Amino acid sequence: MLKSFSDTIDGPLRCLKQGKLLLAISGGLDSVVLAWLCHELKLNFALAHCNFNLRDEESNTDEDFVINLAEDLDVEVFIQNFDTLSYAQSNGRSIQMAARELRYDWLKELAGQLEFDYILTAHHADDNLETFLINFTRGTGLNGLTGIPTINDNIVRPLLSFPRAQIQEYARDHNIDWREDSSNATRKYLRNKFRHDIVPILKEINPNLLDSFQNTLEHLKDTADIVEESLNAVAKRAIVNIDDHGVTYKISEFKKVNNPKAYLFEMFKNFGFTEWNDVVDLLDAESGKYVKSNSHRLIKHRAHLILTDLQTYTNEPIIINESDASIETPLGILKLETAKSYLQADLHTIYVDKHRLKFPLMLRPWQEGDIFQPLGMTGKKKVSKYLKDEKTSLVEKENTWVLTSDNEIIWIVGKRADERFKITSKTKDILKITLKG
Amino acid sequence: MLKSFSDTIDGPLRCLKQGKLLLAISGGLDSVVLAWLCHELKLNFALAHCNFNLRDEESNTDEDFVINLAEDLDVEVFIQNFDTLSYAQSNGRSIQMAARELRYDWLKELAGQLEFDYILTAHHADDNLETFLINFTRGTGLNGLTGIPTINDNIVRPLLSFPRAQIQEYARDHNIDWREDSSNATRKYLRNKFRHDIVPILKEINPNLLDSFQNTLEHLKDTADIVEESLNAVAKRAIVNIDDHGVTYKISEFKKVNNPKAYLFEMFKNFGFTEWNDVVDLLDAESGKYVKSNSHRLIKHRAHLILTDLQTYTNEPIIINESDASIETPLGILKLETAKSYLQADLHTIYVDKHRLKFPLMLRPWQEGDIFQPLGMTGKKKVSKYLKDEKTSLVEKENTWVLTSDNEIIWIVGKRADERFKITSKTKDILKITLKG
């Protein structure tokens, strides 16, 4: 038995003993040894092999090898062929990235359909070290230095703490055959440069490199736990609202901590921002200033920061005919129904005098110059003035729509109805208009 | 001017503009360029050169070079010769470690005596990268990955964000001479292996390696700030007492966090512990269990953990003669004085009937079998039973001493006096005994 592998399966990874397992197998050393270990431990597993068709005949021989192995092990095998090259080209991916995406997508789909509990991959300690060094060389933060996770979602990596050398030794001791991937030898791939050029020197400097590395990872993961807990605590205090417009954070909470930039970075790093000094400057900027990433915007609004995504809203007006009972809009489903009586209106519901309306109605973003007569008032007011008086944030302003009849505003949707369309003693037919977000 | 170096001196390091600076100079590229930069910026500086006498004639030529440079720059120069080899041998240090210690000790002493505000060293971005990789290769935690500090105490490293290549370019552009240290070329020193074998490959993989590295360091330092703040908060809640016995932590505070091990590690890592799982197990261990390092012990005492240092206490009994007015003991200064009246006793003071005493007295650690008559009680009691009833921790027990007269206990020092020596209506002479910790 691979030294202490059974301890892993009896200990931290005992979940694997009960589950139905799908083992991702290339035919290479690591995954073949993992298959034999699963066999030795009588785990309930099947093999899944991707043929990426990248190495012509070699790829097909790998496929045959895996089929024969499944027979030897007496387990089920699933094979999938991919046109990796054209996937990479049409999706703008590197070959390695494309293969990775195709592989995980297929494995997850297969596991879902056939009710496998866990997907097993054969990543080992050397893979993990290489990943650390690759991330470091590119530039990263703590999370890029905590390595490949042993378990994430339903993907489990039982060999992650074992050095490649031990896996090789096991194969030799047990006369296990595997397929050598010719691309492993080239220096063409980034990972291979680390494997062949860097790691051997590091191991020469510290023969216990992999043990030291495991300790380092343990410490860094623990540290990451502290950071996560601390961020959650700050987020819990800072977040005052989450709605369709985005997430609203109290700025004062970021000012209470010793290093606001550290917390801002950790809290917003997954939203594509890069200009962290600008983000920090937002804390003291005037209301309305913002920082944009490719996907998100962080905007200062009075005592708050609001995070929104930049999904481009359809700003196209929507035409609403008299026959429409329910119509999909960028704001949600708008429902029009005749009502017998006039119940309490709320932010999402208004009641109007149907005979005052001129169909088709129009739903559109508000515009500069829009004027309405707020319900309960005798005078008219500019919509811009109304939004300003209501201290509406820039984000919210941009998402404010109006429902109009013959270009008269019936409703600033979700905010205020218009006086001119209200129910009076003379109203014959009541129309109830509801927006469901 | 070295690209943007003046920005550093005008910005983050503007403290250097006012201060009196002592520049540590080897005669090598980095420190010589730093000296010329200080000259160009008209900073107020002197040179300090260590001759470690490790490279015979070469060492002396370096010294001469620095003396001439000081003349060219028209600044003061301090030279110190060391017998590095014998220091290393007699202190069990590597040559590199010995040179480092000698250098910093001397620089600090010199700066202190001659009132220099800052000591400058010429570490640069490549040094920092090498340190990161060395620490990583040895195995480390987050703090080993945050690099050399730009400022710690009064040591400032103004070149830390500049690549060696830029410094070299500056020297070339300004026709600056420097001394090449022949030991830089050998692969004998660990650092040189990284410099010559590893870093060039990493730079080939990522030509912007040093920029990425600076970003990584920024992020990791920010993360370290979050961790520190979080630890301080937990420590503030957990620490209930600090005294001569050690520091007492409330266990319940470690149980409130998601990953107690992470906090225990960060909080106690500087005390030499290595068995972190044992430390975690203490949280649920019986009272009295402990984990030892070379220098410290962490002991479970009821709802608390107590950290103490293992300094070997003198357990030798101390003899106290009648003529001793004040005597130094491992517990502090013990004072004996005649008192006119009997004032309030406290934990550190007792009043006894002088004529009941048989000199010399003895101060010694309590022993199994010791018996005394607690003040106010008619019966005798074992000291061990008394300490148990008082719920005394193991640490405190070990530090409990008794003051005896003819082997009768007068005082369990700092805890309880004995009934037999108390002041009565028949007392003629009162002796006040005080312990000052």
Side-chain angles (χ1 to χ4, degrees):
Chain A
M1 174 60 50
L2 183 62
K3 201 175 132 207
S4 77
F5 181 78
S6 55
D7 296 349
T8 303
I9 301 296
D10 281 330
L13 294 183
R14 64 187 155 277
C15 60
L16 299 184
K17 292 181 95 169
Q18 308 306 330
K20 209 180 137 192
L21 316 177
L22 185 64
L23 196 166
I25 189 160
S26 64
L29 168 69
D30 315 326
S31 55
V32 171
V33 165
L34 182 56
W36 281 104
L37 286 167
C38 288
H39 175 76
E40 192 179 337
L41 287 167
K42 300 191 172 56
L43 302 182
N44 175 7
F45 72 107
L47 304 182
H49 176 76
C50 299
N51 185 338
F52 294 111
N53 291 297
L54 289 168
R55 287 166 294 122
D56 305 322
E57 204 38 52
E58 200 182 318
S59 291
N60 296 327
T61 318
D62 288 352
E63 182 178 325
D64 295 341
F65 175 87
V66 170
I67 292 172
N68 288 330
L69 177 65
E71 214 159 287
D72 292 347
L73 294 168
D74 193 21
V75 296
E76 236 181 321
V77 60
F78 303 89
I79 308 278
Q80 182 78 331
N81 273 264
F82 296 103
D83 186 351
T84 312
L85 224 51
S86 67
Y87 176 89
Q89 278 159 5
S90 55
N91 292 278
R93 298 284 191 278
S94 71
I95 299 289
Q96 294 232 321
M97 187 67 86
R100 196 187 134 87
E101 281 182 15
L102 289 169
R103 185 166 94 122
Y104 278 112
D105 285 352
W106 175 61
L107 288 169
K108 283 179 184 169
E109 196 190 323
L110 193 61
Q113 281 172 355
L114 300 182
E115 299 189 335
F116 284 96
D117 299 302
Y118 300 103
I119 296 166
L120 268 51
T121 75
H123 293 97
H124 49 60
D126 287 87
D127 290 327
N128 210 358
L129 176 62
E130 287 154 19
T131 299
F132 179 102
L133 293 170
I134 289 171
N135 288 345
F136 168 70
T137 305
R138 283 186 183 138
T140 186
L142 180 60
N143 289 1
L145 302 178
T146 52
I148 306 170
T150 308
I151 304 184
N152 66 327
D153 297 332
N154 62 339
I155 300 173
V156 183
R157 302 178 174 93
L159 295 179
L160 201 59
S161 62
F162 296 92
R164 178 186 287 119
Q166 258 184 50
I167 297 170
Q168 227 151 8
E169 197 183 316
Y170 179 88
R172 202 186 51 222
D173 293 351
H174 292 74
N175 295 311
I176 290 174
D177 271 345
W178 73 87
R179 295 273 305 157
E180 204 61 70
D181 180 340
S182 63
S183 71
N184 280 344
T186 87
R187 306 292 209 260
K188 200 173 71 181
Y189 296 120
L190 179 62
R191 184 170 288 274
N192 291 345
K193 281 207 173 194
F194 284 92
R195 183 171 305 170
H196 300 302
D197 296 341
I198 304 266
V199 173
I201 308 176
L202 296 179
K203 285 184 178 171
E204 189 192 308
I205 293 170
N206 177 6
N208 295 318
L209 180 69
L210 284 176
D211 289 337
S212 306
F213 175 60
Q214 295 294 340
N215 283 332
T216 301
L217 281 189
E218 279 299 312
H219 290 325
L220 294 181
K221 278 187 219 167
D222 282 345
T223 304
D225 284 346
I226 295 180
V227 174
E228 193 190 338
E229 185 164 30
S230 175
L231 283 173
N232 286 342
V234 171
K236 202 174 155 188
R237 292 195 299 269
I239 293 177
V240 289
N241 188 42
I242 301 180
D243 64 19
D244 293 351
H245 298 312
V247 187
T248 305
Y249 301 81
K250 234 190 298 177
I251 285 177
S252 57
E253 292 298 332
F254 292 103
K255 294 207 159 186
K256 280 181 198 159
V257 297
N258 290 338
N259 182 345
K261 175 158 157 267
Y263 289 82
L264 289 168
F265 171 72
E266 289 290 341
M267 215 164 281
F268 298 115
K269 69 183 174 188
N270 294 329
F271 301 103
F273 296 101
T274 52
E275 300 308 311
W276 293 102
N277 290 328
D278 292 351
V279 170
V280 174
D281 289 345
L282 279 186
L283 297 183
D284 292 308
E286 319 171 12
S287 221
K289 293 266 176 202
Y290 58 83
V291 177
K292 258 185 182 175
S293 75
N294 283 332
S295 61
H296 285 75
R297 185 169 58 179
L298 197 58
I299 183 166
K300 164 101 179 231
H301 176 61
R302 309 175 74 86
H304 297 98
L305 290 182
I306 305 172
L307 176 75
T308 54
D309 53 15
L310 287 181
Q311 68 190 42
T312 32
Y313 300 101
T314 321
N315 282 330
E316 291 299 302
I318 310 262
I319 303 299
I320 299 158
N321 292 305
E322 195 167 355
S323 58
D324 290 333
S326 168
I327 183 164
E328 223 180 294
T329 79
L331 305 178
I333 306 289
L334 196 74
K335 282 195 172 182
L336 286 78
E337 46 193 324
T338 311
K340 286 261 150 60
S341 57
Y342 166 36
L343 293 169
Q344 184 61 49
D346 61 36
L347 285 179
H348 304 291
T349 311
I350 58 167
Y351 293 86
V352 296
D353 185 330
K354 192 170 176 185
H355 293 284
R356 283 280 291 112
L357 303 177
K358 285 190 188 147
F359 281 93
L361 308 182
M362 186 187 278
L363 184 71
R364 61 163 174 80
W366 77 281
Q367 298 158 359
E368 276 306 328
D370 273 344
I371 283 176
F372 79 129
Q373 183 177 345
L375 184 64
M377 289 180 62
T378 49
K380 296 253 171 96
K381 188 165 190 171
K382 279 190 181 166
V383 171
S384 59
K385 177 86 168 68
Y386 167 78
L387 293 175
K388 194 179 170 197
D389 291 349
E390 294 289 311
K391 303 189 166 78
T392 313
S393 74
L394 183 54
V395 179
E396 214 181 327
K397 269 188 202 165
E398 288 178 354
N399 287 298
T400 297
W401 288 53
V402 291
L403 182 67
T404 63
S405 159
D406 199 18
N407 215 25
E408 285 184 339
I409 290 175
I410 307 168
W411 188 21
I412 300 183
V413 180
K415 298 193 184 304
R416 191 77 173 258
D418 191 288
E419 175 75 12
R420 294 165 291 183
F421 299 90
K422 75 170 180 188
I423 310 297
T424 66
S425 56
K426 290 170 194 159
T427 302
K428 283 186 189 148
D429 291 315
I430 300 177
L431 189 69
K432 178 183 176 190
I433 305 178
T434 316
L435 181 75
K436 298 216 166 178
Chain B
M1 175 59 50
L2 184 61
K3 202 176 132 205
S4 77
F5 181 78
S6 54
D7 295 348
T8 304
I9 302 295
D10 282 330
L13 294 182
R14 64 188 155 275
C15 61
L16 299 185
K17 291 181 98 169
Q18 310 305 330
K20 208 179 136 192
L21 316 176
L22 185 64
L23 197 166
I25 189 159
S26 65
L29 167 70
D30 314 327
S31 55
V32 171
V33 165
L34 182 56
W36 281 105
L37 286 167
C38 289
H39 175 77
E40 191 178 338
L41 287 168
K42 299 188 172 58
L43 301 182
N44 174 7
F45 71 107
L47 304 182
H49 176 77
C50 299
N51 184 338
F52 294 110
N53 290 298
L54 289 168
R55 287 168 293 121
D56 305 324
E57 204 38 51
E58 199 180 320
S59 290
N60 296 328
T61 318
D62 288 351
E63 183 180 324
D64 295 342
F65 174 86
V66 170
I67 292 171
N68 288 331
L69 176 65
E71 216 160 286
D72 292 348
L73 293 168
D74 192 22
V75 295
E76 236 181 321
V77 60
F78 303 90
I79 307 277
Q80 181 78 330
N81 272 264
F82 297 102
D83 185 354
T84 313
L85 223 52
S86 67
Y87 176 89
Q89 276 159 6
S90 54
N91 291 278
R93 299 284 192 277
S94 70
I95 298 289
Q96 296 232 320
M97 187 66 86
R100 195 187 134 88
E101 281 182 15
L102 289 168
R103 184 166 95 121
Y104 278 112
D105 285 351
W106 176 60
L107 288 170
K108 282 178 185 171
E109 198 190 320
L110 193 61
Q113 282 173 355
L114 301 183
E115 298 190 334
F116 284 96
D117 299 302
Y118 300 104
I119 296 166
L120 267 51
T121 74
H123 292 98
H124 49 61
D126 286 86
D127 290 326
N128 210 358
L129 175 63
E130 287 154 21
T131 298
F132 179 102
L133 292 170
I134 289 171
N135 288 346
F136 169 70
T137 305
R138 283 189 182 135
T140 187
L142 180 61
N143 289 3
L145 302 178
T146 51
I148 306 170
T150 308
I151 305 185
N152 66 327
D153 298 331
N154 62 339
I155 300 173
V156 183
R157 302 178 174 94
L159 295 180
L160 201 58
S161 61
F162 297 91
R164 178 184 287 118
Q166 257 184 50
I167 296 170
Q168 228 151 6
E169 198 183 314
Y170 179 88
R172 203 187 50 223
D173 292 351
H174 292 74
N175 294 313
I176 291 174
D177 270 345
W178 72 88
R179 296 271 306 155
E180 203 61 71
D181 179 342
S182 64
S183 72
N184 280 345
T186 87
R187 305 293 209 259
K188 201 174 71 183
Y189 295 121
L190 179 63
R191 185 171 288 274
N192 291 346
K193 280 208 173 193
F194 284 93
R195 184 171 305 170
H196 300 301
D197 296 340
I198 303 268
V199 173
I201 308 176
L202 296 180
K203 285 184 178 170
E204 187 191 310
I205 293 170
N206 177 5
N208 296 317
L209 181 69
L210 284 176
D211 289 336
S212 306
F213 175 59
Q214 295 294 342
N215 282 333
T216 301
L217 281 189
E218 279 298 312
H219 290 324
L220 294 180
K221 279 187 217 165
D222 281 346
T223 304
D225 284 346
I226 295 180
V227 174
E228 194 191 337
E229 184 164 33
S230 175
L231 283 173
N232 287 342
V234 172
K236 202 174 156 189
R237 292 195 299 268
I239 294 177
V240 290
N241 189 42
I242 302 180
D243 64 19
D244 292 350
H245 297 311
V247 187
T248 306
Y249 301 81
K250 233 190 300 178
I251 285 177
S252 58
E253 292 298 332
F254 292 103
K255 294 206 159 186
K256 279 182 199 158
V257 299
N258 291 339
N259 182 346
K261 177 158 157 267
Y263 289 83
L264 290 167
F265 171 72
E266 289 290 340
M267 216 164 279
F268 299 115
K269 69 182 174 190
N270 293 331
F271 302 103
F273 296 101
T274 51
E275 301 308 310
W276 293 102
N277 290 328
D278 292 352
V279 170
V280 174
D281 289 345
L282 280 186
L283 297 184
D284 292 309
E286 312 170 20
S287 223
K289 292 267 176 202
Y290 59 83
V291 177
K292 259 185 182 173
S293 75
N294 282 332
S295 61
H296 284 76
R297 185 169 57 178
L298 196 60
I299 184 166
K300 162 101 181 229
H301 175 60
R302 309 174 73 87
H304 297 98
L305 290 182
I306 305 173
L307 176 75
T308 54
D309 52 14
L310 287 182
Q311 69 190 44
T312 34
Y313 300 102
T314 320
N315 282 331
E316 293 299 303
I318 310 264
I319 302 299
I320 299 157
N321 293 306
E322 196 167 353
S323 57
D324 290 333
S326 170
I327 184 164
E328 221 180 296
T329 79
L331 305 179
I333 307 288
L334 197 73
K335 284 195 171 183
L336 284 77
E337 47 192 324
T338 312
K340 287 260 150 63
S341 59
Y342 166 37
L343 293 169
Q344 184 62 49
D346 61 37
L347 285 179
H348 303 291
T349 311
I350 58 167
Y351 293 86
V352 296
D353 185 329
K354 194 171 175 185
H355 294 283
R356 282 280 291 112
L357 302 176
K358 286 189 189 147
F359 280 93
L361 308 182
M362 186 187 277
L363 184 71
R364 60 161 174 82
W366 76 282
Q367 299 158 357
E368 276 305 327
D370 273 343
I371 282 175
F372 80 128
Q373 185 177 345
L375 184 67
M377 289 182 61
T378 49
K380 298 249 171 99
K381 189 166 189 171
K382 280 190 181 167
V383 171
S384 59
K385 176 87 169 64
Y386 166 78
L387 293 174
K388 194 179 167 193
D389 291 349
E390 294 290 311
K391 302 189 168 78
T392 313
S393 74
L394 184 54
V395 180
E396 214 180 328
K397 269 188 201 166
E398 288 179 355
N399 286 299
T400 298
W401 288 52
V402 291
L403 182 67
T404 63
S405 157
D406 198 18
N407 215 25
E408 284 184 340
I409 289 175
I410 307 167
W411 188 20
I412 300 182
V413 180
K415 298 192 185 303
R416 189 77 174 257
D418 191 287
E419 175 74 12
R420 293 165 293 183
F421 299 89
K422 74 170 181 189
I423 311 297
T424 66
S425 55
K426 290 170 193 158
T427 303
K428 283 187 188 147
D429 292 314
I430 299 175
L431 189 70
K432 179 183 176 189
I433 306 177
T434 316
L435 181 76
K436 297 216 166 177

